[in-house]
Amino acid sequence: MINKHIIIARGGEQRSKLEIYFQAIGARTISFPILKGTEIKLTDDDLEKIMKSQRLIFLNPTSIAIFFRQMAEKQLSFKFPLQIEYVSGKSKKLLEQMGIPCMPARYGQGSASLLGHDQQKLNHYSDDDQLVITHKLAVDEQYLEEMRIILKKDCWNTVIFPNKLAVDFFIKYWHVMKLGDFNKLSFAAVGNMVKEYAMEQGFSELDEVIQALLQTEEWKYSM
């Protein structure tokens, strides 16, 4: 059992399996900051971009739900591009539940429409990427004061970063709430790229125990 106080940094609206996993093995956790998405109506220009694309790449599961709901509301029939691709396991699961053939996103030939939020950190998937924004992502301000009280009251040991955007949101709102020097926290990260990015932003003390647990990937199967 892990007797630690762990902050799960948020890079999206949905609750992370990391929080479920670490609570199950004895840690006390808190998600920070709490984020919310504000849906954007797709324009005719957006739909034209998508229809002309050979590949449609969903950068997060929220964009999948928004896209297909708006298509249904407009009563538009949708001719799938040659390929539907996903970035995350959550997106893959949702597409499969909808019965949509899909494959992992990768760099390749053919124009690509990327559906994501306005804070999305982008990789390039083609020579002609077209980003279509489905929603705006921002902190849910109604929880800020509650978060500030909890984070100042208790002693938190480690912050876990699931992606690069979580690092950015964490640092920004840690400063906004005047919670002190974030460098005093140890950290762990999902993947080497996220770990290196966190270190570039000023984190230096790696929590080896938590990092080792992340590398087993058991947390991905938390329900």
Side-chain angles (χ1 to χ4, degrees):
M1 301 293 280
I2 300 296
N3 185 23
K4 289 193 174 189
H5 286 44
I6 298 172
I7 302 169
I8 310 295
R10 282 279 186 97
E13 312 99 299
Q14 298 177 342
R15 187 187 184 198
S16 172
K17 288 185 177 181
L18 291 167
E19 188 170 4
I20 300 169
Y21 171 74
F22 281 100
Q23 285 179 355
I25 62 173
R28 182 184 177 194
T29 69
I30 184 173
S31 291
F32 175 81
I34 303 297
L35 303 175
K36 66 176 181 179
T38 302
E39 184 170 332
I40 295 174
K41 287 291 184 183
L42 297 175
T43 66
D44 291 340
D45 286 342
D46 292 332
L47 295 173
E48 186 176 353
K49 281 183 191 176
I50 294 168
M51 296 303 183
K52 287 181 177 178
S53 297
Q54 295 173 295
R55 303 159 61 205
L56 180 56
I57 301 176
F58 289 106
L59 302 177
N60 58 70
T62 301
S63 291
I64 298 173
I66 289 173
F67 173 72
F68 285 105
R69 182 172 62 252
Q70 290 196 21
M71 291 293 289
E73 289 171 353
K74 292 175 181 288
Q75 297 184 329
L76 295 174
S77 59
F78 177 63
K79 181 181 178 181
F80 289 115
L82 293 177
Q83 293 177 183
I84 302 291
E85 302 174 26
Y86 58 85
V87 172
S88 72
K90 288 182 179 179
S91 293
K92 176 187 178 183
K93 183 177 180 180
L94 181 55
L95 288 167
E96 289 178 342
Q97 288 173 345
M98 297 170 71
I100 298 172
C102 57
M103 62 186 297
R106 79 286 182 274
Y107 187 88
Q109 299 297 320
S111 59
S113 285
L114 281 57
L115 272 68
H117 55 68
D118 64 328
Q119 302 292 326
Q120 205 83 53
K121 285 185 175 291
L122 297 178
N123 293 319
H124 289 290
Y125 296 101
S126 76
D127 292 333
D128 185 26
D129 287 348
Q130 300 288 328
L131 176 63
V132 177
I133 296 174
T134 59
H135 59 295
K136 293 182 179 180
L137 189 64
V139 70
D140 193 336
E141 295 187 358
Q142 67 175 316
Y143 296 108
L144 280 180
E145 182 59 22
E146 179 184 348
M147 294 291 99
R148 189 188 69 81
I149 292 170
I150 294 172
L151 290 168
K152 287 184 74 71
K153 178 182 176 182
D154 298 323
C155 180
W156 298 89
N157 310 113
T158 300
V159 55
I160 299 175
F161 297 115
N163 52 50
K164 291 181 180 179
L165 186 58
V167 180
D168 294 341
F169 270 117
F170 179 87
I171 293 173
K172 177 179 179 179
Y173 286 98
W174 192 267
H175 286 318
V176 165
M177 297 170 67
K178 299 179 181 179
L179 293 168
D181 186 0
F182 66 77
N183 293 319
K184 293 179 181 179
L185 289 167
S186 61
F187 82 100
V190 176
N192 287 330
M193 291 181 64
V194 180
K195 181 173 72 173
E196 290 170 4
Y197 184 73
M199 294 179 74
E200 290 171 3
Q201 306 312 308
F203 289 89
S204 57
E205 184 182 345
L206 185 68
D207 188 321
E208 300 284 358
V209 173
I210 300 300
Q211 190 65 41
L213 287 170
L214 292 177
Q215 289 171 346
T216 68
E217 298 193 344
E218 291 180 3
W219 60 272
K220 290 185 177 181
Y221 307 102
S222 298
M223 300 298 291

